[in-house]
mmCIF file of all heavy atoms in Angstrom:
data_model
loop_
_atom_site.group_PDB
_atom_site.id
_atom_site.type_symbol
_atom_site.label_atom_id
_atom_site.label_comp_id
_atom_site.label_asym_id
_atom_site.label_seq_id
_atom_site.Cartn_x
_atom_site.Cartn_y
_atom_site.Cartn_z
ATOM 1 N N TYR A 65 -0.767 4.851 -16.572
ATOM 2 C CA TYR A 65 -0.938 3.672 -15.754
ATOM 3 C C TYR A 65 -2.175 2.940 -16.248
ATOM 4 O O TYR A 65 -3.197 3.561 -16.544
ATOM 5 C CB TYR A 65 -1.113 4.058 -14.277
ATOM 6 C CG TYR A 65 -0.845 2.927 -13.330
ATOM 7 C CD1 TYR A 65 0.453 2.580 -12.990
ATOM 8 C CD2 TYR A 65 -1.893 2.190 -12.793
ATOM 9 C CE1 TYR A 65 0.706 1.535 -12.119
ATOM 10 C CE2 TYR A 65 -1.649 1.144 -11.918
ATOM 11 C CZ TYR A 65 -0.352 0.818 -11.580
ATOM 12 O OH TYR A 65 -0.099 -0.216 -10.724
ATOM 13 N N THR A 66 -2.089 1.610 -16.339
ATOM 14 C CA THR A 66 -3.187 0.779 -16.836
ATOM 15 C C THR A 66 -3.568 -0.259 -15.791
ATOM 16 O O THR A 66 -2.705 -0.822 -15.120
ATOM 17 C CB THR A 66 -2.778 0.077 -18.150
ATOM 18 O OG1 THR A 66 -2.513 1.070 -19.138
ATOM 19 C CG2 THR A 66 -3.875 -0.841 -18.648
ATOM 20 N N LEU A 67 -4.859 -0.512 -15.698
ATOM 21 C CA LEU A 67 -5.419 -1.534 -14.823
ATOM 22 C C LEU A 67 -6.418 -2.325 -15.655
ATOM 23 O O LEU A 67 -7.237 -1.733 -16.353
ATOM 24 C CB LEU A 67 -6.128 -0.866 -13.639
ATOM 25 C CG LEU A 67 -7.011 -1.744 -12.761
ATOM 26 C CD1 LEU A 67 -6.160 -2.700 -11.942
ATOM 27 C CD2 LEU A 67 -7.864 -0.876 -11.848
ATOM 28 N N PHE A 68 -6.331 -3.654 -15.633
ATOM 29 C CA PHE A 68 -7.369 -4.451 -16.281
ATOM 30 C C PHE A 68 -7.802 -5.566 -15.360
ATOM 31 O O PHE A 68 -7.044 -6.047 -14.523
ATOM 32 C CB PHE A 68 -6.944 -4.964 -17.662
ATOM 33 C CG PHE A 68 -5.652 -5.681 -17.724
ATOM 34 C CD1 PHE A 68 -5.599 -7.064 -17.689
ATOM 35 C CD2 PHE A 68 -4.462 -4.980 -17.855
ATOM 36 C CE1 PHE A 68 -4.396 -7.729 -17.762
ATOM 37 C CE2 PHE A 68 -3.258 -5.639 -17.936
ATOM 38 C CZ PHE A 68 -3.217 -7.024 -17.889
ATOM 39 N N MET A 69 -9.094 -5.928 -15.495
ATOM 40 C CA MET A 69 -9.723 -6.879 -14.581
ATOM 41 C C MET A 69 -10.366 -8.016 -15.359
ATOM 42 O O MET A 69 -10.946 -7.791 -16.426
ATOM 43 C CB MET A 69 -10.772 -6.167 -13.739
ATOM 44 C CG MET A 69 -10.209 -5.049 -12.917
ATOM 45 S SD MET A 69 -11.510 -4.248 -11.980
ATOM 46 C CE MET A 69 -10.569 -3.012 -11.133
ATOM 47 N N SER A 70 -10.299 -9.218 -14.811
ATOM 48 C CA SER A 70 -10.815 -10.394 -15.504
ATOM 49 C C SER A 70 -12.337 -10.450 -15.551
ATOM 50 O O SER A 70 -12.903 -11.134 -16.395
ATOM 51 C CB SER A 70 -10.269 -11.669 -14.866
ATOM 52 O OG SER A 70 -10.736 -11.800 -13.535
ATOM 53 N N LYS A 71 -13.016 -9.718 -14.655
ATOM 54 C CA LYS A 71 -14.481 -9.721 -14.640
ATOM 55 C C LYS A 71 -15.018 -8.296 -14.783
ATOM 56 O O LYS A 71 -15.937 -7.897 -14.064
ATOM 57 C CB LYS A 71 -15.000 -10.363 -13.353
ATOM 58 C CG LYS A 71 -14.642 -11.832 -13.250
ATOM 59 C CD LYS A 71 -15.184 -12.434 -11.976
ATOM 60 C CE LYS A 71 -14.784 -13.897 -11.895
ATOM 61 N NZ LYS A 71 -15.200 -14.494 -10.621
ATOM 62 N N THR A 72 -14.481 -7.529 -15.682
ATOM 63 C CA THR A 72 -14.845 -6.156 -16.008
ATOM 64 C C THR A 72 -14.593 -5.169 -14.870
ATOM 65 O O THR A 72 -13.870 -4.214 -15.051
ATOM 66 C CB THR A 72 -16.302 -6.044 -16.505
ATOM 67 O OG1 THR A 72 -16.467 -6.978 -17.587
ATOM 68 C CG2 THR A 72 -16.598 -4.660 -17.023
ATOM 69 N N ILE A 73 -15.191 -5.388 -13.692
ATOM 70 C CA ILE A 73 -14.945 -4.473 -12.567
ATOM 71 C C ILE A 73 -14.516 -5.228 -11.317
ATOM 72 O O ILE A 73 -14.521 -4.684 -10.222
ATOM 73 C CB ILE A 73 -16.168 -3.582 -12.262
ATOM 74 C CG1 ILE A 73 -17.405 -4.428 -11.964
ATOM 75 C CG2 ILE A 73 -16.422 -2.605 -13.399
ATOM 76 C CD1 ILE A 73 -18.572 -3.631 -11.425
ATOM 77 N N SER A 74 -14.151 -6.495 -11.473
ATOM 78 C CA SER A 74 -13.667 -7.281 -10.335
ATOM 79 C C SER A 74 -12.849 -8.454 -10.872
ATOM 80 O O SER A 74 -12.576 -8.543 -12.054
ATOM 81 C CB SER A 74 -14.837 -7.780 -9.479
ATOM 82 O OG SER A 74 -15.630 -8.688 -10.219
ATOM 83 N N GLY A 75 -12.488 -9.365 -10.002
ATOM 84 C CA GLY A 75 -11.721 -10.536 -10.409
ATOM 85 C C GLY A 75 -10.229 -10.296 -10.348
ATOM 86 O O GLY A 75 -9.750 -9.360 -9.700
ATOM 87 N N ASP A 76 -9.488 -11.132 -11.036
ATOM 88 C CA ASP A 76 -8.037 -11.017 -11.079
ATOM 89 C C ASP A 76 -7.650 -9.721 -11.789
ATOM 90 O O ASP A 76 -8.298 -9.307 -12.749
ATOM 91 C CB ASP A 76 -7.432 -12.228 -11.797
ATOM 92 C CG ASP A 76 -5.938 -12.308 -11.621
ATOM 93 O OD1 ASP A 76 -5.405 -11.707 -10.660
ATOM 94 O OD2 ASP A 76 -5.293 -12.978 -12.437
ATOM 95 N N MET A 77 -6.588 -9.081 -11.319
ATOM 96 C CA MET A 77 -6.161 -7.809 -11.897
ATOM 97 C C MET A 77 -4.748 -7.889 -12.446
ATOM 98 O O MET A 77 -3.903 -8.590 -11.916
ATOM 99 C CB MET A 77 -6.194 -6.707 -10.834
ATOM 100 C CG MET A 77 -7.561 -6.309 -10.399
ATOM 101 S SD MET A 77 -7.562 -4.821 -9.376
ATOM 102 C CE MET A 77 -6.588 -5.327 -7.978
ATOM 103 N N GLY A 78 -4.542 -7.125 -13.488
ATOM 104 C CA GLY A 78 -3.219 -6.843 -14.007
ATOM 105 C C GLY A 78 -3.065 -5.337 -14.009
ATOM 106 O O GLY A 78 -4.043 -4.604 -14.204
ATOM 107 N N TYR A 79 -1.867 -4.841 -13.774
ATOM 108 C CA TYR A 79 -1.679 -3.398 -13.692
ATOM 109 C C TYR A 79 -0.222 -3.051 -13.933
ATOM 110 O O TYR A 79 0.661 -3.897 -13.828
ATOM 111 C CB TYR A 79 -2.127 -2.869 -12.327
ATOM 112 C CG TYR A 79 -1.583 -3.675 -11.165
ATOM 113 C CD1 TYR A 79 -0.350 -3.393 -10.607
ATOM 114 C CD2 TYR A 79 -2.312 -4.755 -10.657
ATOM 115 C CE1 TYR A 79 0.154 -4.144 -9.562
ATOM 116 C CE2 TYR A 79 -1.816 -5.508 -9.611
ATOM 117 C CZ TYR A 79 -0.592 -5.207 -9.067
ATOM 118 O OH TYR A 79 -0.096 -5.964 -8.036
ATOM 119 N N GLY A 80 0.013 -1.786 -14.251
ATOM 120 C CA GLY A 80 1.381 -1.329 -14.401
ATOM 121 C C GLY A 80 1.514 -0.038 -15.179
ATOM 122 O O GLY A 80 0.554 0.448 -15.787
ATOM 123 N N PRO A 81 2.719 0.526 -15.172
ATOM 124 C CA PRO A 81 2.978 1.802 -15.837
ATOM 125 C C PRO A 81 3.157 1.646 -17.349
ATOM 126 O O PRO A 81 3.538 0.586 -17.843
ATOM 127 C CB PRO A 81 4.275 2.282 -15.186
ATOM 128 C CG PRO A 81 4.962 1.033 -14.755
ATOM 129 C CD PRO A 81 3.874 0.062 -14.398
ATOM 130 N N ASP A 82 2.872 2.737 -18.046
ATOM 131 C CA ASP A 82 3.020 2.819 -19.499
ATOM 132 C C ASP A 82 3.844 4.058 -19.831
ATOM 133 O O ASP A 82 3.550 5.144 -19.326
ATOM 134 C CB ASP A 82 1.657 2.961 -20.183
ATOM 135 C CG ASP A 82 0.675 1.892 -19.777
ATOM 136 O OD1 ASP A 82 1.001 0.705 -19.938
ATOM 137 O OD2 ASP A 82 -0.422 2.238 -19.298
ATOM 138 N N LEU A 83 4.827 3.914 -20.681
ATOM 139 C CA LEU A 83 5.603 5.032 -21.204
ATOM 140 C C LEU A 83 5.505 4.973 -22.717
ATOM 141 O O LEU A 83 5.724 3.913 -23.305
ATOM 142 C CB LEU A 83 7.064 4.931 -20.774
ATOM 143 C CG LEU A 83 7.324 4.821 -19.275
ATOM 144 C CD1 LEU A 83 8.795 4.540 -19.012
ATOM 145 C CD2 LEU A 83 6.894 6.095 -18.570
ATOM 146 N N SER A 84 5.177 6.101 -23.343
ATOM 147 C CA SER A 84 5.029 6.057 -24.797
ATOM 148 C C SER A 84 5.435 7.374 -25.439
ATOM 149 O O SER A 84 5.466 8.426 -24.802
ATOM 150 C CB SER A 84 3.589 5.704 -25.181
ATOM 151 O OG SER A 84 2.697 6.691 -24.742
ATOM 152 N N ILE A 85 5.718 7.265 -26.720
ATOM 153 C CA ILE A 85 5.983 8.415 -27.579
ATOM 154 C C ILE A 85 4.903 8.398 -28.657
ATOM 155 O O ILE A 85 4.725 7.383 -29.338
ATOM 156 C CB ILE A 85 7.375 8.337 -28.234
ATOM 157 C CG1 ILE A 85 8.488 8.322 -27.188
ATOM 158 C CG2 ILE A 85 7.573 9.455 -29.243
ATOM 159 C CD1 ILE A 85 8.715 9.632 -26.480
ATOM 160 N N ASN A 86 4.177 9.512 -28.792
ATOM 161 C CA ASN A 86 3.167 9.641 -29.838
ATOM 162 C C ASN A 86 3.695 10.574 -30.913
ATOM 163 O O ASN A 86 4.153 11.680 -30.610
ATOM 164 C CB ASN A 86 1.855 10.203 -29.283
ATOM 165 C CG ASN A 86 1.147 9.219 -28.384
ATOM 166 O OD1 ASN A 86 1.521 8.059 -28.289
ATOM 167 N ND2 ASN A 86 0.112 9.689 -27.718
ATOM 168 N N TYR A 87 3.612 10.120 -32.168
ATOM 169 C CA TYR A 87 4.047 10.922 -33.314
ATOM 170 C C TYR A 87 2.821 11.305 -34.129
ATOM 171 O O TYR A 87 2.055 10.440 -34.567
ATOM 172 C CB TYR A 87 5.049 10.140 -34.159
ATOM 173 C CG TYR A 87 5.374 10.815 -35.463
ATOM 174 C CD1 TYR A 87 6.020 12.048 -35.480
ATOM 175 C CD2 TYR A 87 5.023 10.232 -36.671
ATOM 176 C CE1 TYR A 87 6.315 12.680 -36.674
ATOM 177 C CE2 TYR A 87 5.317 10.850 -37.868
ATOM 178 C CZ TYR A 87 5.954 12.077 -37.873
ATOM 179 O OH TYR A 87 6.230 12.700 -39.059
ATOM 180 N N PHE A 88 2.610 12.600 -34.312
ATOM 181 C CA PHE A 88 1.494 13.135 -35.082
ATOM 182 C C PHE A 88 2.031 13.540 -36.459
ATOM 183 O O PHE A 88 2.609 14.616 -36.604
ATOM 184 C CB PHE A 88 0.896 14.352 -34.369
ATOM 185 C CG PHE A 88 0.227 14.021 -33.067
ATOM 186 C CD1 PHE A 88 0.975 13.782 -31.923
ATOM 187 C CD2 PHE A 88 -1.151 13.947 -32.991
ATOM 188 C CE1 PHE A 88 0.362 13.471 -30.722
ATOM 189 C CE2 PHE A 88 -1.775 13.631 -31.790
ATOM 190 C CZ PHE A 88 -1.028 13.391 -30.654
ATOM 191 N N PRO A 89 1.888 12.703 -37.490
ATOM 192 C CA PRO A 89 2.520 12.992 -38.779
ATOM 193 C C PRO A 89 1.894 14.145 -39.556
ATOM 194 O O PRO A 89 2.575 14.772 -40.375
ATOM 195 C CB PRO A 89 2.368 11.684 -39.552
ATOM 196 C CG PRO A 89 1.221 10.984 -38.922
ATOM 197 C CD PRO A 89 1.200 11.415 -37.494
ATOM 198 N N PHE A 90 0.619 14.468 -39.315
ATOM 199 C CA PHE A 90 -0.070 15.451 -40.137
ATOM 200 C C PHE A 90 -0.314 16.794 -39.471
ATOM 201 O O PHE A 90 -0.629 17.769 -40.129
ATOM 202 C CB PHE A 90 -1.422 14.884 -40.604
ATOM 203 C CG PHE A 90 -1.293 13.553 -41.283
ATOM 204 C CD1 PHE A 90 -1.841 12.427 -40.713
ATOM 205 C CD2 PHE A 90 -0.591 13.421 -42.477
ATOM 206 C CE1 PHE A 90 -1.724 11.191 -41.318
ATOM 207 C CE2 PHE A 90 -0.460 12.193 -43.094
ATOM 208 C CZ PHE A 90 -1.024 11.071 -42.517
ATOM 209 N N GLN A 91 -0.187 16.872 -38.159
ATOM 210 C CA GLN A 91 -0.466 18.106 -37.447
ATOM 211 C C GLN A 91 0.237 18.096 -36.098
ATOM 212 O O GLN A 91 0.790 17.097 -35.688
ATOM 213 C CB GLN A 91 -1.974 18.318 -37.278
ATOM 214 C CG GLN A 91 -2.646 17.295 -36.417
ATOM 215 C CD GLN A 91 -2.971 15.992 -37.129
ATOM 216 O OE1 GLN A 91 -2.461 15.697 -38.191
ATOM 217 N NE2 GLN A 91 -3.810 15.192 -36.529
ATOM 218 N N LYS A 92 0.174 19.223 -35.421
ATOM 219 C CA LYS A 92 0.786 19.332 -34.101
ATOM 220 C C LYS A 92 -0.156 18.749 -33.047
ATOM 221 O O LYS A 92 -1.370 18.907 -33.147
ATOM 222 C CB LYS A 92 1.052 20.801 -33.764
ATOM 223 C CG LYS A 92 2.045 21.481 -34.651
ATOM 224 C CD LYS A 92 2.173 22.935 -34.258
ATOM 225 C CE LYS A 92 3.066 23.689 -35.219
ATOM 226 N NZ LYS A 92 3.146 25.112 -34.857
ATOM 227 N N PRO A 93 0.388 18.117 -32.012
ATOM 228 C CA PRO A 93 -0.478 17.544 -30.979
ATOM 229 C C PRO A 93 -1.186 18.587 -30.120
ATOM 230 O O PRO A 93 -2.231 18.313 -29.551
ATOM 231 C CB PRO A 93 0.468 16.699 -30.126
ATOM 232 C CG PRO A 93 1.823 17.224 -30.405
ATOM 233 C CD PRO A 93 1.795 17.796 -31.791
ATOM 234 N N THR A 94 -0.636 19.777 -30.019
ATOM 235 C CA THR A 94 -1.239 20.805 -29.167
ATOM 236 C C THR A 94 -1.651 22.052 -29.932
ATOM 237 O O THR A 94 -2.158 22.994 -29.338
ATOM 238 C CB THR A 94 -0.261 21.225 -28.050
ATOM 239 O OG1 THR A 94 0.941 21.702 -28.644
ATOM 240 C CG2 THR A 94 0.029 20.067 -27.120
ATOM 241 N N GLY A 95 -1.459 22.116 -31.219
ATOM 242 C CA GLY A 95 -1.856 23.281 -32.000
ATOM 243 C C GLY A 95 -1.038 24.499 -31.653
ATOM 244 O O GLY A 95 0.051 24.417 -31.077
ATOM 245 N N ASP A 96 -1.574 25.666 -32.001
ATOM 246 C CA ASP A 96 -0.915 26.940 -31.719
ATOM 247 C C ASP A 96 -1.767 27.737 -30.745
ATOM 248 O O ASP A 96 -2.987 27.853 -30.916
ATOM 249 C CB ASP A 96 -0.748 27.751 -33.008
ATOM 250 C CG ASP A 96 0.178 27.063 -33.991
ATOM 251 O OD1 ASP A 96 1.257 26.609 -33.570
ATOM 252 O OD2 ASP A 96 -0.187 26.971 -35.187
ATOM 253 N N HIS A 97 -1.133 28.295 -29.728
ATOM 254 C CA HIS A 97 -1.842 29.081 -28.714
ATOM 255 C C HIS A 97 -1.048 30.352 -28.438
ATOM 256 O O HIS A 97 0.149 30.294 -28.169
ATOM 257 C CB HIS A 97 -2.003 28.283 -27.420
ATOM 258 C CG HIS A 97 -2.693 26.991 -27.649
ATOM 259 N ND1 HIS A 97 -4.053 26.888 -27.732
ATOM 260 C CD2 HIS A 97 -2.203 25.754 -27.859
ATOM 261 C CE1 HIS A 97 -4.367 25.636 -27.976
ATOM 262 N NE2 HIS A 97 -3.276 24.929 -28.056
ATOM 263 N N ILE A 98 -1.756 31.468 -28.510
ATOM 264 C CA ILE A 98 -1.116 32.763 -28.281
ATOM 265 C C ILE A 98 -1.920 33.518 -27.235
ATOM 266 O O ILE A 98 -3.131 33.671 -27.368
ATOM 267 C CB ILE A 98 -1.030 33.591 -29.584
ATOM 268 C CG1 ILE A 98 -0.187 32.847 -30.622
ATOM 269 C CG2 ILE A 98 -0.461 34.966 -29.298
ATOM 270 C CD1 ILE A 98 -0.253 33.456 -32.002
#
Side-chain angles (χ1 to χ4, degrees):
Y65 199 80
T66 298
L67 168 70
F68 52 97
M69 300 179 180
S70 64
K71 295 181 181 175
T72 307
I73 57 170
S74 65
D76 192 21
M77 290 190 299
Y79 48 87
D82 307 304
L83 305 172
S84 63
I85 299 288
N86 290 351
Y87 171 64
F88 293 77
F90 307 114
Q91 65 279 16
K92 296 177 186 178
T94 58
D96 296 313
H97 304 278
I98 299 170

